[in-house]
C-alpha cells in the first residue's frame, strides 16, 4: 500500500549547515495495518507526515501509494489524492467557525459532491467519538479535544486508503484517547486502510500492529515503555 523509500528532507540552520529533519526513512505499511511512530519533539515526525501527504516536497526519496509515486503527480493530481484517498489529521484545527460540528465533519463530503449522504456518514462517526450530543455545536462551544475529534471524523469521512494522524490524542483524557485509538484501529482492520499514527501517547502501542521510533530524523527501533519528552500546553477538557 504505502512505501517510503529513502525519504529525506533538510532545512538550513544557523550558520548555513543543513539539518536533516527526515533522514533516508524507508518504511512500508500494508493495507489494513496500523503503525505507531514515537519520537521526541523535533524528531521530524510532523515533517514526515507532510511529505507523505504531498504538502512538502522531499529533497530525495519517494512516497509510493498503490504503485504511484505521489511526487511524480501534477499538483492537481496530488490535490485529488489528498481529497479522495488521504485522511490527514494534523495539529491545526481548521474548522469553519460558523458551521456546526456535523457540518465541519462533512466538509470533504461537500467538496466531493456527496451532500445527500453527508449526514448519514458523519453522524455515526461523531457518535462513535463521543460527540453524539454535540452535532449542532459550533467550534466556539467545543473544547480543544472535541474539536480534535471533529477533525478526525472529517479525515475519515471519505473512507480513505491512507490515514495520517499527528498526535490525535494530544488534547484528550485517557478514556477519550482509547476511543480515538480504537477507531483508528477499526479503520485499518475493517476498512482496509493503511494508518500511520505519530504520537507520544503510551496507549497507542497496544492498538498498533507495529511500533517504530524516529530520532533525529532517522527511523529506529522502539523500546517498550520508552518515554519521549513532549512540549505541550496544559491539557484541556476532552
Amino acid at each position: 500500500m504505502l512505501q517510503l523509500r529513502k525519504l529525506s528532507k533538510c532545512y538550513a540552520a544557523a550558520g548555513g549547515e543543513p539539518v536533516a529533519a527526515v533522514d533516508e526513512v524507508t518504511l512500508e505499511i500494508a493495507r489494513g495495518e496500523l503503525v505507531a511512530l514515537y519520537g521526541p519533539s523535533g524528531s521530524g515526525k510532523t515533517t514526515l507526515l507532510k511529505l507523505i501527504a504531498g504538502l512538502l516536497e522531499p529533497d530525495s526519496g519517494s512516497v509510493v501509494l498503490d504503485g504511484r509515486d505521489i511526487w511524480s503527480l501534477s499538483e492537481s493530481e496530488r490535490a485529488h489524492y489528498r481529497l479522495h484517498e488521504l485522511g490527514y489529521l494534523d495539529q491545526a484545527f481548521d474548522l469553519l467557525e460558523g458551521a456546526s460540528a456535523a457540518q465541519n465533519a462533512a466538509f470533504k463530503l461537500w467538496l466531493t459532491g456527496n451532500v445527500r449522504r453527508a449526514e448519514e456518514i458523519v453522524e455515526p462517526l461523531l457518535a462513535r467519538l463521543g460527540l453524539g450530543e454535540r452535532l449542532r455545536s459550533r467550534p466556539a462551544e467545543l473544547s480543544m479535544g472535541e474539536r480534535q475529534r471533529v477533525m478526525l471524523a472529517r479525515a475519515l469521512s471519505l473512507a480513505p486508503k491512507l490515514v495520517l494522524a499527528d498526535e490525535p490524542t494530544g488534547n484528550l483524557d485517557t478514556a477519550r484517547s482509547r476511543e480515538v485509538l480504537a477507531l483508528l484501529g477499526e479503520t485499518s482492520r475493517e476498512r482496509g486502510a493503511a494508518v500511520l499514527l505519530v504520537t507520544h501517547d503510551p496507549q497507542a502501542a497496544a492498538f498498533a500492529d507495529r511500533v517504530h521510533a524516529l530520532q533525529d530524523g532517522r527511523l529506529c527501533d522502539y523500546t517498550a515503555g520508552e518515554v519521549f519528552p513532549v512540549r505541550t500546553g496544559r491539557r484541556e477538557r476532552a
Side-chain angles (χ1 to χ4, degrees), residues 144-192:
M144 292 295 287
E146 288 168 337
R147 295 183 190 189
Q148 194 167 30
R149 284 176 278 153
V150 171
M151 292 300 297
L152 177 58
R154 179 192 289 180
L156 300 181
S157 63
L158 284 174
K161 294 179 180 180
L162 173 64
V163 177
L164 306 175
D166 192 353
E167 299 286 359
T169 63
N171 292 291
L172 306 182
D173 59 26
T174 299
R176 292 303 187 196
S177 293
R178 289 186 65 84
E179 291 174 356
V180 166
L181 293 168
L183 180 57
L184 288 171
E186 175 187 303
T187 298
S188 64
R189 291 189 305 274
E190 298 180 12
R191 302 188 185 187

Side-chain angles (χ1 to χ4, degrees), residues 4 8 22-23 35 57-58 87 93 105 116 119 123-124 131 150 153 161 163 202 215-216 222 227 236:
L4 310 182
S8 295
V22 174
D23 192 359
V35 173
E57 187 171 4
F93 301 150
R116 292 183 179 180
E119 186 174 296
E123 290 192 4
L131 295 174
V150 171
K161 294 179 180 180
V163 177
Q215 292 268 27
D216 298 323
Y222 171 74
V227 176
E236 298 194 22

Side-chain angles (χ1 to χ4, degrees), residues 24-45:
E24 294 197 340
V25 169
T26 294
L27 177 68
E28 294 191 14
I29 305 178
R31 190 184 308 275
E33 186 176 30
L34 190 158
V35 173
L37 183 62
Y38 287 91
S41 297
S43 62
K45 302 187 303 300

